[in-house]
Amino acid sequence: MKRPIILLCCSILCSFAILSEEKKRLAQPDKIQGIYIFTDSTPVDDYELLGVVKTTVGLSAQYEPIRDKMIKRARKNYPEAEAIIIRMNRGGTDRGEVIKFND
């Protein structure tokens, strides 16, 4: 009788540990110009890849102008876009994966 109770307690403790770890992975992304922005992160929810927008570093290597250019291209090329997963590449082409969340 003691063994099932011990197993149940261990299972409950493991469940809490897993849930606690899951909460650490969650965040609320910023929404800029109507598009959720994920930088160096991936959404937890299921999503569909609509396409990719790219930009190279121009006169400014600052994050905001690059992000804004990607948002503009994403909204133009993919009107149904809900978010962009931005992947920055030092000295190369930065890319944004344009996505739509599955309902």
Side-chain angles (χ1 to χ4, degrees), residues 25-59:
R25 296 184 328 138
L26 300 178
Q28 178 64 42
D30 289 336
K31 193 171 191 179
I32 300 170
Q33 299 178 30
I35 302 285
Y36 288 108
I37 305 298
F38 294 87
T39 305
D40 294 330
S41 61
T42 304
V44 175
D45 288 340
D46 291 332
Y47 61 88
E48 171 188 348
L49 178 65
L50 300 176
V52 175
V53 290
K54 297 179 181 178
T55 185
T56 54
V57 176
L59 297 175

Side-chain angles (χ1 to χ4, degrees), residues 14-102:
C14 288
S15 297
F16 283 125
I18 290 170
L19 290 175
S20 177
E21 186 64 31
E22 287 292 317
K23 283 183 82 174
K24 290 178 185 175
R25 296 184 328 138
L26 300 178
Q28 178 64 42
D30 289 336
K31 193 171 191 179
I32 300 170
Q33 299 178 30
I35 302 285
Y36 288 108
I37 305 298
F38 294 87
T39 305
D40 294 330
S41 61
T42 304
V44 175
D45 288 340
D46 291 332
Y47 61 88
E48 171 188 348
L49 178 65
L50 300 176
V52 175
V53 290
K54 297 179 181 178
T55 185
T56 54
V57 176
L59 297 175
S60 173
Q62 296 293 315
Y63 169 73
E64 286 183 15
I66 293 169
R67 179 202 64 203
D68 292 345
K69 188 182 288 188
M70 285 187 189
I71 291 171
K72 184 176 180 180
R73 288 182 182 171
R75 293 179 79 197
K76 179 182 176 187
N77 296 333
Y78 308 98
E80 64 276 14
E82 294 181 307
I84 301 175
I85 304 170
I86 296 177
R87 311 284 186 203
M88 305 293 278
N89 186 5
R90 181 181 294 239
T93 302
D94 300 317
R95 55 183 273 141
E97 298 169 3
V98 183
I99 64 171
K100 178 179 180 178
F101 293 103
N102 296 333

